Amino acid sequence: MKLYGFSRSSAAFRVRIALNLKGIAWEHINISLPDGDQFGEDYAKINPQGRVPTLIDGDNSLFQSMAILEYLDETHPQPAFMPADPVARARVRGLADIIACDIHPLNNLAVLKFLANELGCGKDAVNVTWYQHWIYEGFNALEAHLAADSETGTFSHGDTPGLVDICIVPQVFNAQRLECDLAPYPVLMGIFGNCMKLDAFDSAQPSKQPE
Ligand SMILES: N[C@@H](CCC(=O)N[C@@H](CS)C(=O)NCC(=O)O)C(=O)O
């Protein structure tokens, strides 16, 4: 498979982890977000939204990281990213959506640029006040769920890594890069540490990508 992505893109990072967990060989195609490659004519034909990741599997071009994760889980069922039980599946989707719907979109590059350029917000207002606020809001909720639920194990749901962990790790990398205080999240950070012991997560991290 071919993955159009960028090292620091957390949505592409999710897909790198997923491909590694499934044991699928993949080739990295760099779309440099700081250089604006996502807006180039060639990439617009591949992903008209101008976002990464895009995954190419044969003749199929797949977009949106959460849809790609589901596709990989459906086409390569082992190891499973989701539990079988409907209530458990809803829990896993709910936890993943705290990150994928309620943190990540608010801190995407396009939003940060809009705040700075169109709304005239200063660097600290964008990178500290805004960015950290949405991470703390989401992480507060995640920590409360993970600490309270008996389903939480070595990983977010039981003792095998899955959908929630695939979302947590890139989001923690972003939080660390933007110097968030992660001390109030011991359960979340414990799970992060357990994930990072696995090569599938470790080798997907930004500093280990070719560019
Ligand atoms: N919901 C999308 C988000 C994709 C997304 O926003 N990707 C970011 C990088 S993490 C991006 O390409 N940003 C480019 C830009 O904002 O110009 C997904 O999960 O795939």
Side-chain angles (χ1 to χ4, degrees):
M1 295 192 195
K2 287 183 187 167
L3 178 63
Y4 288 85
F6 180 63
S7 55
R8 284 200 307 273
S9 156
S10 50
F13 190 172
R14 289 175 197 153
V15 177
R16 294 196 296 266
I17 297 167
L19 289 164
N20 293 344
L21 283 170
K22 295 290 188 187
I24 298 168
W26 57 279
E27 182 192 331
H28 169 76
I29 302 174
N30 195 45
I31 298 295
S32 170
L33 301 184
D35 292 336
D37 290 357
Q38 69 273 35
F39 305 122
E41 222 176 277
D42 289 345
Y43 190 60
K45 290 181 197 139
I46 294 163
N47 187 317
Q49 196 184 6
R51 301 276 177 109
V52 293
T54 304
L55 183 71
I56 309 294
D57 182 12
D59 293 336
N60 300 313
S61 178
L62 306 155
F63 54 93
Q64 285 284 344
S65 65
M66 300 309 282
I68 295 172
L69 300 185
E70 274 192 51
Y71 169 82
L72 291 174
D73 211 25
E74 285 162 3
T75 53
H76 297 74
Q78 296 302 327
F81 292 160
M82 300 276 289
D85 173 68
V87 176
R89 289 169 79 82
R91 174 182 185 261
V92 163
R93 287 197 178 101
L95 293 176
D97 282 354
I98 290 176
I99 294 173
C101 300
D102 296 339
I103 302 178
H104 180 269
L106 291 159
N107 284 347
N108 182 41
L109 184 62
V111 171
L112 303 183
K113 283 201 310 207
F114 189 85
L115 289 170
N117 300 338
E118 266 75 7
L119 301 184
C121 301
K123 210 173 164 194
D124 277 357
V126 175
N127 288 340
V128 182
T129 314
W130 175 275
Y131 199 102
Q132 293 188 348
H133 172 78
W134 298 112
I135 289 187
Y136 291 141
E137 286 266 306
F139 279 11
N140 287 345
L142 268 177
E143 180 72 13
H145 277 294
L146 292 168
D149 298 348
S150 59
E151 294 93 337
T152 305
T154 311
F155 298 99
S156 303
H157 196 86
D159 294 324
T160 50
L163 191 74
V164 187
D165 311 299
I166 292 170
C167 293
I168 282 178
V169 166
Q171 193 60 63
V172 168
F173 266 82
N174 281 355
Q176 289 173 330
R177 192 160 55 85
L178 273 290
E179 297 179 354
C180 292
D181 176 13
L182 298 175
Y185 310 110
V187 181
L188 181 72
M189 292 308 291
I191 289 168
F192 171 77
N194 292 336
C195 290
M196 292 308 293
K197 288 180 196 150
L198 304 178
D199 185 58
F201 287 83
D202 180 61
S203 64
Q205 66 178 279
S207 65
K208 298 198 172 171
Q209 301 320 299
E211 86 270 15

